[in-house]
């Protein structure tokens, strides 16, 4: 996945922040107006949006003589793909993952733990003891680490973690 330049990132931020997924998108003029502090020419914004469409970052649809643009994926999906691409750079994926796990905050670790538990198909029984195997993996179970979705699951409100995974938690 291509990293974004400063102007591309600013344009994507406009799309991510102002265009709901159900929207028909925005025009070049609307993006340029949202970037008003940058004093960019209309044609500059048009060129950036055209390049982002070529990279697959935005989708566009013709409306009369103009195009309407919207992000092809959420900001979270883009960031997740960047992280996966970084893991593919070489070296030990395991070592990189461990170093990353040691660098996250307690709350971030709780979010990761809950997501991994859900991905593994584990469900915690209401008493907090034991686990049951559930079939919630779908295709992601056949291709671990590549099941990107925009689904984000939060950890339990009481901060409880899965007892079988406690020994795998990274201590800070």
């Amino acid at each position: 996945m291509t990293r974004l330049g400063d102007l591309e990132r600013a344009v994507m931020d406009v799309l991510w922040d102002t265009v709901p997924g159900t929207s028909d998108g925005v025009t070049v003029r609307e993006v340029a107006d949202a970037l008003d502090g940058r004093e960019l020419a209309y044609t500059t914004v048009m060129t950036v949006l055209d390049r982002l469409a070529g990279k697959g970052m935005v989708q566009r649809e013709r409306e009369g003589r103009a195009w309407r643009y919207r992000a092809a994926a959420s900001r979270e999906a883009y960031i997740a793909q960047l992280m996966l691409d970084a893991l593919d750079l070489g070296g030990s994926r395991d070592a990189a993952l461990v170093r990353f796990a040691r660098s996250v905050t307690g709350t971030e670790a709780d979010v990761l733990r809950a997501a991994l538990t859900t991905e593994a198909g584990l469900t915690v029984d209401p008493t907090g003891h034991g686990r049951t195997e559930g079939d919630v993996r779908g295709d992601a179970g056949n291709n671990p680490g590549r099941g990107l979705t925009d689904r984000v699951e939060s950890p339990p409100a009481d901060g409880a973690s899965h007892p079988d995974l406690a020994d795998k938690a990274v201590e800070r």
Side-chain angles (χ1 to χ4, degrees):
M1 172 167 282
T2 308
R3 290 186 54 99
L4 300 175
D6 291 339
L7 186 52
E8 290 173 324
R9 176 62 190 256
V11 168
M12 287 305 300
D13 282 341
V14 168
L15 296 177
W16 283 323
D17 294 340
T18 63
V19 182
T22 58
S23 168
D24 289 338
V26 292
T27 63
V28 174
R29 175 60 56 207
E30 291 167 327
V31 173
D33 290 346
L35 295 169
D36 60 357
R38 295 188 144 225
E39 298 183 25
L40 298 168
Y42 176 91
T43 54
T44 301
V45 176
M46 183 173 61
T47 299
V48 170
L49 283 164
D50 184 57
R51 288 184 179 162
L52 288 168
K55 293 178 179 181
M57 292 292 300
V58 300
Q59 296 171 337
R60 62 183 176 185
E61 198 169 303
R62 185 69 99 169
E63 183 178 273
R65 291 179 42 193
W67 291 98
R68 294 193 76 76
Y69 295 88
R70 65 181 172 280
S74 69
R75 176 185 281 123
E76 293 78 14
Y78 171 72
I79 292 169
Q81 188 60 51
L82 284 176
M83 292 169 72
L84 289 168
D85 290 348
L87 286 173
D88 289 339
L89 289 176
S92 170
R93 288 177 68 106
D94 291 348
L97 285 169
V98 169
R99 182 173 283 266
F100 175 76
R102 287 182 176 151
S103 71
V104 299
T105 66
T107 302
E108 292 165 339
D110 290 342
V111 170
L112 286 171
R113 192 175 296 107
L116 290 169
T117 299
T118 299
E119 187 65 24
L122 303 175
T123 56
V124 179
D125 71 22
T127 65
H129 300 96
R131 66 177 188 200
T132 59
E133 298 294 331
D135 187 18
V136 295
R137 284 186 272 175
D139 283 341
N142 298 328
N143 192 6
R146 295 298 179 178
L148 291 181
T149 67
D150 290 333
R151 183 185 78 211
V152 176
E153 309 222 0
S154 299
D158 65 0
S161 64
H162 191 286
D164 291 342
L165 298 177
D167 59 323
K168 295 181 182 172
V170 176
E171 297 192 20
R172 295 187 54 82

